[in-house]
Amino acid sequence: MAANNTDRGTSSFDFDPGPVPAPSRPVDRFGFVKQDQSGSPDELAKCKSVAEQERDGRRIRKWRKMIGVDGSDWKHYVRRKPQVVKRRIRMGIPDCLRGLVWQLISGSRDLLLMNPGVYEQLVIYETSASEMDIIRDISRTFPSHIFFQQRHGLGQRSLYNVLKAYSVYDRDVGYVQGMGFVAGLLLLYMSEEDAFWLVVALLKGAVHAPMEGLYQVGLPLVQQYLFQFEHLVKEYMPQLGEHFSEEMINPSMYGSQWFITVFSYSFPFPLVLRIWDIFLYEGIKIVFQVGLALMRCCHDDLVKLPFEKLVPALRNFPKDTLNPNMLLPLAFSFKVSKHLDELQHEYEKRNKDPIHHEGSTSKSVDHKLLDKSVMKTQSHDIEKPTFTQEKKDQG
Amino acid sequence: MATAGNSNINAKLVLLGDMGAGKSSLVLRFVKGQFLEFQESTIGAAFFSQTLALSDATVKLEIWDTAGQERYHSLAPMYYRGASAAIIAYDITNTESFERAKKWVDELQKQGNPNMVTALAGNKADLEENRKVAAEEAKAYAEVNGLFFMETSAKTAVNVNDIFYEIARRLPRAQPAQNPGGMILTNTPSEIAQSSNCCS
């Protein structure tokens, strides 16, 4: 989490003047208080060999060249060599550049530049109906990370500001439990204003399909994603799909948090970061792919387990399956884009078709309708943010 | 079912209540004997199981701990449908959470299993100095609505095991006073209870 070359893009972590890390509580290299000190060497914490350090150095230089000063060459590079960019991102963005690159690939940097002063206004001058809910969750978001541990410390204040600002920015969505983990993750890599615009970019769809449906009343997009995921499991792992049906496993029992927080909740941090690198560039598809990869890794065990053992197994995967260098290549092997489109159409058709509507009064939300054109701010004198970044489509 | 012998009972229990009322803390205190001052918010739902050995039966509870925020309401029916027991938790220092608990009671009475054993838990009882909900008020409400009521503290462990054990005791006896009619219980006599827990 070293500083990158912009003042705004510098990790807020570096600014923290608070009397935080007590020497008696060792933290890992990401700032989480270590839970178990016993054996299990943290591979990433091991001292790197000279060769590894040199390789890292070359990698960072390549990335810096690709980005240019403060991101100035990025768009040009992406246009010329999209496959190179995709491949490098899949290998992991260097941690010292992560905050800046996340803002470039999510389109949030453009939003920030186009909307000067907006964030400040949302934080300082507006009030939100969600304030009490946000406060109740603040100290319960990444409680084991030193940045968020100090009561009313910089971490908690930044998190509160970002969540409050968003709840004002989109009063229909407000604050929903789960957003804190997304915002909290971002705050470990960028300033609160940058984090806010990245949340906006994701939920309003600056580059990929908007994700605000994850948090709207009825959680319509969660329902859609779970429908799609359940069908993908049946398609790729029919035996497991059948077993889930027999044991009455609903995908919501394990998967809703995957989507609601994009894996930022209760997964090992090194894996979370790698997933987020890919998620911001390639879109929500990676969440499906990682979910399928987890199922594939544990397939032979899962098909044998009865309900009461199956649910815990699906919420607590063995540590060795959560190694990003093993799990991600497996995840990429699932080519899901086309299936996801088909399943989305099927889901939309079902929700519109009264025959499939028995007993359900929930309105179907066509997530294509939630595109940029309906993007709105509800705050009177806040300018409507605009998007310029063209849509990417990496199949 | 009160005969000597060892009946094995599997029961699904759901925890409902406002965000921050202490649902997860109650379960963690009960299942693991732990308490965290800052318990991570529950996203979606969490699952635990715990086996209780009573004098006349072994009760295996499958516990669903749900996310408390109103926005997650649409996911809740999946967890309370088919449940034989529920704990509806509120925070004694927060009046709104008590109002929210009443809404859950209404919803379960309308939508839930009619024979559900339902407990009302006034949690955070250790915070007496900040109390906003009188115990008498909650007790009276519980009586009118056929719930059993306890004030609990996940922090000090007061009444935590008690509320789960009381639920377990009420489960096999299929006809508690307020709830005439049979319980829907899954009897799996062949299954040997694997109770390796502290509470057994």
Side-chain angles (χ1 to χ4, degrees), chain A residues 61-75:
Chain A
R61 280 194 295 278
K62 272 190 203 167
W63 269 92
R64 285 200 193 281
K65 204 177 142 209
M66 194 158 76
I67 296 166
V69 178
D70 197 14
S72 55
D73 295 342
W74 176 257
K75 283 181 186 169

Side-chain angles (χ1 to χ4, degrees), chain A residues 304-371:
Chain A
K304 288 182 216 142
L305 298 177
F307 180 88
E308 71 274 16
K309 290 186 178 148
L310 198 46
V311 178
L314 289 168
R315 304 177 61 98
N316 210 346
F317 289 92
K319 218 173 165 185
D320 56 337
T321 61
L322 300 171
N323 176 347
N325 295 325
M326 307 290 285
L327 189 67
L328 292 174
L330 181 58
F332 300 139
S333 73
F334 292 97
K335 308 290 179 201
V336 295
S337 298
K338 217 176 121 217
H339 296 298
L340 283 176
D341 286 346
E342 289 163 3
L343 287 166
Q344 184 184 335
H345 287 138
E346 194 184 329
Y347 182 77
E348 284 163 3
K349 216 172 94 194
R350 283 192 187 204
N351 271 14
K352 278 174 196 150
D353 182 350
I355 295 166
H356 291 97
H357 233 137
E358 303 153 23
S360 160
T361 51
S362 65
K363 9 173 210 184
S364 91
V365 174
D366 183 340
H367 106 207
K368 287 209 201 79
L369 293 177
L370 299 172
D371 75 0

Side-chain angles (χ1 to χ4, degrees), chain B residues 9-64:
Chain B
I9 294 151
N10 281 359
K12 177 172 158 186
L13 182 155
V14 62
L15 274 115
L16 300 165
D18 202 3
M19 61 189 280
K23 298 175 293 301
S24 303
S25 294
L26 285 170
V27 190
L28 282 173
R29 170 60 79 186
F30 172 58
V31 175
K32 297 187 178 165
Q34 289 175 349
F35 176 78
L36 295 168
E37 191 67 44
F38 301 111
Q39 172 65 41
E40 208 164 66
S41 317
T42 304
I43 309 301
F47 179 83
F48 301 87
S49 64
Q50 179 76 311
T51 305
L52 284 69
L54 303 184
S55 55
D56 59 345
T58 302
V59 179
K60 185 165 180 192
L61 293 177
E62 289 179 354
I63 304 167
W64 280 106

Side-chain angles (χ1 to χ4, degrees), chain A residues 156-201:
Chain A
Q156 293 199 359
R157 275 181 288 134
S158 307
L159 185 58
Y160 173 80
N161 287 344
V162 172
L163 295 171
K164 185 209 137 181
Y166 194 83
S167 72
V168 176
Y169 180 81
D170 185 343
R171 292 185 191 271
D172 289 340
V173 167
Y175 165 72
V176 182
Q177 289 192 302
M179 285 180 173
F181 291 90
V182 170
L185 168 65
L186 298 174
L187 283 170
L188 297 176
Y189 284 90
M190 58 193 77
S191 74
E192 45 175 274
E193 186 174 18
D194 293 332
F196 167 76
W197 287 109
L198 212 157
V199 173
V200 173

Side-chain angles (χ1 to χ4, degrees), chain B residues 48-121:
Chain B
F48 301 87
S49 64
Q50 179 76 311
T51 305
L52 284 69
L54 303 184
S55 55
D56 59 345
T58 302
V59 179
K60 185 165 180 192
L61 293 177
E62 289 179 354
I63 304 167
W64 280 106
D65 171 24
T66 61
Q69 200 184 16
E70 177 68 33
R71 194 66 56 89
Y72 282 85
H73 199 139
S74 60
L75 298 179
M78 181 170 55
Y79 300 109
Y80 69 64
R81 223 180 279 132
S84 1
I87 296 177
I88 297 171
Y90 68 91
D91 167 359
I92 67 154
T93 72
N94 181 333
T95 327
E96 272 174 46
S97 75
F98 185 52
E99 295 308 313
R100 188 79 202 288
K102 291 179 182 171
K103 285 189 185 155
W104 279 119
V105 173
D106 291 344
E107 180 161 344
L108 289 188
Q109 285 172 347
K110 288 193 190 99
Q111 315 280 339
N113 165 7
N115 303 310
M116 196 183 277
V117 177
T118 308
L120 181 66

